[in-house]
Structure formats: C-alpha cells, structure tokens
Amino acid sequence: WTSPWGEGRPGWHIECSAMSNEIFKTCPIDIHAGGEDLKFPHHDNEIAQSEAYFGCKEWVKYFLHVGHLHIDKQKMSKSLKNFIKIKEFTKKYTAKQLRFLFLLQKWHKIMNFDPETSMQEAIEKERQFAEFFQQAKAIIRNFDIKKNPQKWNSEDFELNERLRETKEKVHHHLCNNIDTQSALMELSALLVETNKYMKNTSAQIKSPLIVSISKYTLRILKCLGIIAEDEFKYTSASEEVDVETVIAPYVQVAVDFRDKVKQLAGGDKMLLIKECDYVRDVSLATLGVRLEDTGMATPSVWMKEDAETLLKSIEDKKLAKERAQKEKEEKKALEEKKKNTPPHEFYPTFESHNYSKFDEKGVPTHDAAGKELSKEIVNGLKKKVGALEKKWLKSQGKGVEGQEEGAKGGKKQKKNKQKAEDAPKDAEAKTQDAEGKPED
C-alpha cells in the first residue's frame, strides 16, 4: 500500500481492528480475549483505532487476558518446538485429566507444565470424583426404605449444612474471576466429608442426602466441561437403559451367593475364602465389576468399572502386597542376622558406611571420611557395644557371669585369625633367608 512514507503494509493492530469490525458492525463488543502479552501495545492500539472509527467511548466491555502455557519453564511456541499436540497427549492421558489439569490452574496466570509432575494432581482428582460416583450409586442402588429409617440425626444435618456452605463458596469462586481452581477444591473437600459419611452402616446413611450431594456435584462438573452427559444414572426414570441396569439383577445374585459362602466358610475353611476372592478379583473383574468387601456381617458393594482399568488396579495391589511381604521378610532376616552377630563384629558389619576404623573390640574410632572420633563419641559407642555384648551373651544362653569369657573368646578368635594371616608371610621370609645364605 502507498502511504506518505512510501510503500508499506498494514500494522498488526489495524489487521485485527479491521477483522473485528467486519464481523461486529456496532460497538461495544462484550468480550475480547487474547494472551496476557497483548495488553500493550496490541489491544491498546485496537481500542484507539476502533473507538476512533466508530466514534464511541467503549469499544469492548471486558478483556480476558489468558496466562501463557510454559513447558519446563519456557513459553510454548512453534519456534522453540516445545509444544505437545493434543493427539499425542491423549495417547497417555484421558481428555478428562487434561480438563482437570487446566481447571486446577488460574486461567489468567502462567501455567508451567512439567511432563513428570504436572499430571499427578489432575489424575488424583479424576480418580476421586469417579470413585465417589461409583460408591454413591452403589449405596442408592442398595437402598431399602423398609430397612433404612429416614429420620435425620446430628451427623445428617451437619453434612447437609456442609453441602449448603459448599454451594455458596463454589458460587462465590466462580463469580470471582472464574476461579475454577478454588471451586474444585471446595467440591473435593465436600466429597471427602461425604466419603466418611458413606462408611457408616446402611441403616445410618440417608439416601436422599447422598442423591442431593451427587446431583449438585454432577451439575458443577457439567458446567466446567468435565462431564458432557449424565454419567450418574441411578433411577429407573432414565429413558436410556444403561449396562448397569441390565446386569444389576444378575450381579446381585452372584454377590449374595458369595456373601453366604463367606459366612459358611468358618475359621479353617480357607479354600472357600480363596474361591470367593477368585470370583471378586478375576471372574467379576473381567466383566468390569468391582466388588468391595465391607466385613463378614454386612453385604458387599459392587460397582461398574472399565474392565481393563480394574484388572490393572487389582494387579497393582497384588504387586504392592508382594513387595510389602518381601520387605517384611528382608527386615526380619536382617534383625535375625543382627541378633546373631557377635558384639565386636556388629559395627564393622552393619555400620561400615558410617565408620572407617575400629578397635579390637569393634568400637568405631574414625568416621567415614577417616577423621578420628572425639573421646566423648568413642565412650558413647563403647557403652553401646557393652550393651550389645550383654544382649548377645544372653541370646547365646550365657549369663552376665560369662561376659568375660565371651570377651576373651572374641579376642582369642581375632588373635588366631591374625596368626593365620601372618603365617604365609613368615614362611616366605624364612625361604628368603635360606636362599640368601651361602652353601656350606
């Protein structure tokens, strides 16, 4: 384009002003969004140009300046090639987890994404909400008005009051600059209290209260885009028949049967218990049914889950249990080894990483760096070795009167060991002497 200053092209600001005004023929515009780095000079220039063009005093009512997404503390950009495509991201994480990740941030602040640590909270939040809905559905499904009195007690009123307070706080946070992070934290805290309440016996739980909390939580999650449709189907009023409704009677038969078998198994009939666990961990899990034991006297609770996820969860728990058992056995073996180790060998065997030299009684004299220990520290260690010696003699069937003999035995054993080590040297020295003498 020609201009008084020569040929040129429109500035970046005038491009955006022209495009906006092509679509919005009048002012003001309600909302104008952009990155936080566009406040000045870009948006200021747009305002000046557009207000001059329209002859108005307010071109935009609200500007929303969004915080940047940083990857490992660097601004995400094509030039740095440090961006992550959504398709690649969702190969490892779910779309819900991505939404939780964004909602747990302040939308107008910089968000630093660390591939190793940033997803942990989002994954945990998704798990917390999913498990809450599963547990709530199980309680509502098993509710029997004839067996469960509905007269509220103080605990019921307290939880209902917590629900009322949460509604007020969530509303306040969303009105306060769309603070989704604080709103989710309030919901999360409500679920923690509700989960405690749901651990009561079925006779103590008020089903309508659980329904109210579940419906409210679901409504907020829908508003935030976490849930697109009704994932909390728990009544027969729904026109669409879901999988849970179809399989519920059959699953319940198996659950009831398993509970009766557990009660009949008794003390030493572990085979029946083992078979029951196989039904829970393999048969039902393969069908995508999670079964939770609630004790011998109370009915078990079942929930519908993704079969693959459930089987992985069961396998992870099994591996964790095996690791714990292995650690327990290793700890026991170490304690047994320590118990059977003579006192003069205790510190050289088990504390060699802390000390580098020891005296003839096995008392440390130098630290790991080779620095000589103070007299005060050595005296303290001598007392500990003395205590170990008394304990060891007692474990070996020797009384206190045998301590002196035990100590002598330890010295003698060490002396014999030194003599055995020196024997080859002495023999070699004699050989050299014999070779060095002239022949007779």
Side-chain angles (χ1 to χ4, degrees):
W1 286 266
T2 56
S3 74
W5 309 278
E7 291 186 348
R9 60 184 179 183
W12 180 28
H13 321 299
I14 196 66
E15 283 183 16
C16 291
S17 300
M19 288 189 291
S20 297
N21 296 329
E22 177 65 22
I23 302 300
F24 300 100
K25 302 294 185 182
T26 59
C27 66
I29 296 173
D30 291 311
I31 297 173
H32 191 318
E36 62 177 352
D37 57 331
L38 302 183
K39 291 179 183 178
F40 179 86
H42 184 57
H43 287 162
D44 277 4
N45 273 275
E46 278 193 85
I47 292 169
Q49 293 162 354
S50 298
E51 289 183 356
Y53 176 78
F54 284 113
C56 64
K57 293 183 178 180
E58 186 182 40
W59 177 54
V60 172
K61 288 184 178 180
Y62 300 101
F63 275 94
L64 300 184
H65 293 110
V66 184
H68 288 151
L69 173 59
H70 286 206
I71 307 293
D72 283 338
K73 299 181 180 179
Q74 281 190 312
K75 181 181 173 183
M76 187 178 74
S77 66
K78 288 183 179 180
S79 59
L80 292 174
K81 296 183 180 179
N82 63 343
F83 56 89
I84 302 172
K85 292 183 178 180
I86 297 295
K87 284 185 179 180
E88 293 298 319
F89 189 89
T90 50
K91 286 179 182 178
K92 188 174 181 180
Y93 304 105
T94 67
K96 280 185 184 179
Q97 289 167 354
L98 178 60
R99 292 187 180 105
F100 269 116
L101 173 67
F102 292 149
L103 290 168
L104 288 167
Q105 312 292 325
K106 302 284 188 182
W107 67 270
H108 58 296
K109 300 288 186 182
I110 290 175
M111 172 185 160
N112 183 57
F113 179 78
D114 184 332
E116 299 297 325
T117 60
S118 294
M119 290 304 298
Q120 292 174 2
E121 187 179 13
I123 292 169
E124 173 57 26
K125 281 288 176 283
E126 185 196 35
R127 182 202 60 77
Q128 181 192 22
F129 281 93
E131 289 189 358
F132 165 75
F133 284 125
Q134 289 164 358
Q135 187 70 14
K137 281 195 284 187
I139 287 173
I140 296 165
R141 181 174 56 244
N142 296 328
F143 173 72
D144 187 345
I145 192 67
K146 295 178 181 178
K147 296 179 181 178
N148 304 105
Q150 292 302 297
K151 185 177 180 181
W152 282 22
N153 55 31
S154 58
E155 189 178 8
D156 303 321
F157 282 110
E158 285 175 12
L159 184 59
N160 189 61
E161 178 62 19
R162 184 60 186 268
L163 171 61
R164 187 193 65 78
E165 291 174 356
T166 301
K167 287 180 178 180
E168 288 184 357
K169 289 177 180 178
V170 168
H171 182 76
H172 168 75
H173 291 311
L174 294 179
C175 289
N176 182 24
N177 202 18
I178 320 174
D179 186 358
T180 57
Q181 182 187 46
S182 299
L184 274 179
M185 289 305 179
E186 292 293 347
L187 272 184
S188 178
L190 173 64
L191 297 199
V192 170
E193 294 301 317
T194 309
N195 285 335
K196 291 178 185 177
Y197 175 82
M198 290 193 296
K199 288 181 180 178
N200 289 327
T201 62
S202 57
Q204 294 173 303
I205 297 173
K206 308 304 183 292
S207 179
L209 182 54
I210 301 299
V211 171
S212 296
I213 294 170
S214 302
K215 281 186 172 181
Y216 172 70
T217 304
L218 186 72
R219 184 168 71 86
I220 297 301
L221 293 183
K222 282 183 177 179
C223 289
L224 297 177
I226 293 293
I227 295 175
E229 57 183 24
D230 190 356
E231 298 183 12
F232 188 62
K233 296 166 184 170
Y234 56 87
T235 67
S236 58
S238 176
E239 293 180 1
E240 183 183 350
V241 178
D242 62 310
V243 176
E244 288 179 58
T245 304
V246 174
I247 68 172
Y250 308 101
V251 174
Q252 197 61 51
V253 168
V255 172
D256 293 342
F257 170 76
R258 183 174 178 275
D259 289 337
K260 288 176 183 177
V261 170
K262 280 199 303 179
Q263 292 170 2
L264 293 170
D268 58 347
K269 299 178 182 178
M270 294 307 295
L271 184 59
L272 282 173
I273 296 291
K274 188 177 179 181
E275 288 300 317
C276 290
D277 289 341
Y278 181 85
V279 171
R280 178 193 64 196
D281 298 336
V282 180
S283 303
L284 289 175
T286 304
L287 295 171
V289 176
R290 177 156 69 102
L291 189 59
E292 286 193 355
D293 289 321
T294 54
M296 296 293 285
T298 55
S300 299
V301 175
W302 70 270
M303 288 157 254
K304 183 74 178 70
E305 279 193 17
D306 175 68
E308 186 179 346
T309 304
L310 178 57
L311 288 168
K312 186 179 183 303
S313 173
I314 292 171
E315 182 63 22
D316 289 343
K317 286 180 182 178
K318 181 183 176 183
L319 292 174
K321 189 176 180 181
E322 289 174 356
R323 282 196 299 270
Q325 181 63 28
K326 186 180 179 182
E327 288 173 3
K328 186 179 178 182
E329 290 172 0
E330 289 175 350
K331 186 178 179 182
K332 186 178 179 181
L334 180 62
E335 292 300 322
E336 191 65 25
K337 186 179 179 182
K338 286 183 177 180
K339 185 179 176 182
N340 294 319
T341 300
H344 66 279
E345 294 179 8
F346 187 88
Y347 276 97
T349 302
F350 301 106
E351 293 290 332
S352 58
H353 58 287
N354 290 323
Y355 306 103
S356 57
K357 292 184 181 180
F358 309 86
D359 64 14
E360 68 279 359
K361 290 186 177 180
V363 178
T365 58
H366 293 69
D367 64 16
K371 185 180 178 182
E372 188 175 359
L373 299 173
S374 68
K375 189 175 181 182
E376 184 181 356
I377 293 175
V378 172
N379 288 335
L381 290 167
K382 282 181 179 178
K383 289 181 181 179
K384 289 182 179 180
V385 171
L388 287 170
E389 190 170 5
K390 288 180 182 179
K391 195 174 180 181
W392 183 74
L393 289 170
K394 189 176 180 181
S395 70
Q396 299 299 309
K398 300 176 183 179
V400 177
E401 64 276 1
Q403 288 184 22
E404 186 177 345
E405 184 182 345
K408 287 179 180 177
K411 288 181 181 178
K412 188 176 180 181
Q413 186 180 4
K414 194 167 184 179
K415 188 175 181 181
N416 290 339
K417 184 179 179 183
Q418 185 65 42
K419 189 182 283 186
E421 290 174 353
D422 292 342
K425 297 178 182 177
D426 293 340
E428 185 181 350
K430 287 178 182 178
T431 302
Q432 289 175 353
D433 290 343
E435 290 175 351
K437 289 179 180 178
E439 294 182 3
D440 295 335

